[in-house]
């Protein structure tokens, strides 16, 4: 029940599909058709900064239709629509906030919680997929267990 979305760029589609299919088969999964799980993900801008509080960050970006702001220890993360990503990033850069990470990513609409054993299988599959030359990004809706991530 875990969905995995793969961004790949290739000059040989058949080779890439064969490599990805082999990785899924080896891990006990199934490769769907193009876009078969895409409906489970949404494109979002994610900007993680340091050096500003959550309130100060909100004050700077409130006019840009942000979707969410969350903070963990010293890092504040702004989640926005891709259309506003560059504007928000520019505003935060001008405020001298330290940009830790800024990307447009595919976030899952819902997630699937996994136990330790299944989490380890998914982690191995994702690592295998990320090691493929043509794979750019791998996204999943799996909520991995704490024990398997550490």
């Amino acid at each position: 029940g875990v969905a995995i979305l793969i961004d790949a760029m290739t000059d040989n589609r058949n080779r890439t599909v064969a490599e990805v299919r082999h990785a899924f088969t080896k891990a006990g999964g199934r490769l769907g058709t193009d876009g078969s799980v895409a409906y489970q993900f949404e494109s979002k801008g994610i900007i993680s900064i340091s050096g500003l509080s959550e309130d100060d960050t909100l004050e700077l970006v409130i006019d840009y239709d942000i979707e969410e702001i969350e903070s963990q220890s010293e890092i504040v993360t702004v989640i926005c629509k891709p259309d506003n990503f560059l504007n928000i990033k520019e505003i935060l850069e001008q405020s001298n906030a330290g940009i830790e990470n800024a990307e447009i990513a595919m976030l899952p609409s819902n997630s699937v919680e996994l136990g330790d054993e299944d989490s380890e299988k998914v982690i191995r599959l994702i690592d295998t997929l990320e090691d493929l030359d043509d794979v750019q990004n791998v996204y999943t809706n799996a909520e991995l267990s704490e024990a398997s991530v550490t």
Side-chain angles (χ1 to χ4, degrees):
V2 173
I4 297 177
L5 183 66
I6 302 167
D7 280 339
M9 187 174 0
T10 183
D11 59 349
N12 186 335
R13 179 182 167 98
N14 292 333
R15 179 193 69 232
T16 303
V17 170
E19 290 174 347
V20 170
R21 180 174 283 119
H22 176 72
F24 272 94
T25 303
K26 188 175 173 185
R30 291 187 315 264
L31 181 64
T33 60
D34 283 351
S36 61
V37 298
Y39 72 93
Q40 295 182 35
F41 294 86
E42 293 180 79
S43 181
K44 302 285 182 187
I46 303 171
I47 305 167
S48 298
I49 62 167
S50 59
L52 286 178
S53 71
E54 187 173 341
D55 291 338
D56 291 340
T57 304
L58 181 60
E59 192 174 305
L60 286 171
V61 299
I62 193 79
D63 295 334
Y64 291 96
D65 194 26
I66 58 167
E67 294 190 7
E68 189 175 340
I69 287 187
E70 49 191 44
S71 62
Q72 290 182 325
S73 62
E74 301 289 318
I75 305 295
V76 176
T77 302
V78 177
I79 299 174
C80 62
K81 294 180 179 170
D83 300 348
N84 298 328
F85 175 76
L86 290 177
N87 292 332
I88 292 171
K89 183 180 175 201
E90 187 175 310
I91 292 292
L92 293 171
E93 285 173 337
Q94 290 172 0
S95 74
N96 294 324
I99 305 285
E100 301 295 324
N101 184 39
E103 66 179 334
I104 294 183
M106 300 297 284
L107 299 181
S109 303
N110 55 36
S111 57
V112 176
E113 196 170 323
L114 299 178
D116 293 345
E117 187 177 320
D118 289 334
S119 290
E120 289 175 16
K121 287 180 185 179
V122 169
I123 289 170
R124 278 196 304 273
L125 173 58
I126 290 172
D127 287 344
T128 301
L129 291 168
E130 287 177 339
D131 287 343
L132 298 176
D133 291 337
D134 297 331
V135 172
Q136 305 298 307
N137 294 303
V138 178
Y139 307 103
T140 184
N141 68 346
E143 259 186 55
L144 305 172
S145 71
E146 290 291 326
S148 65
V149 175
T150 56

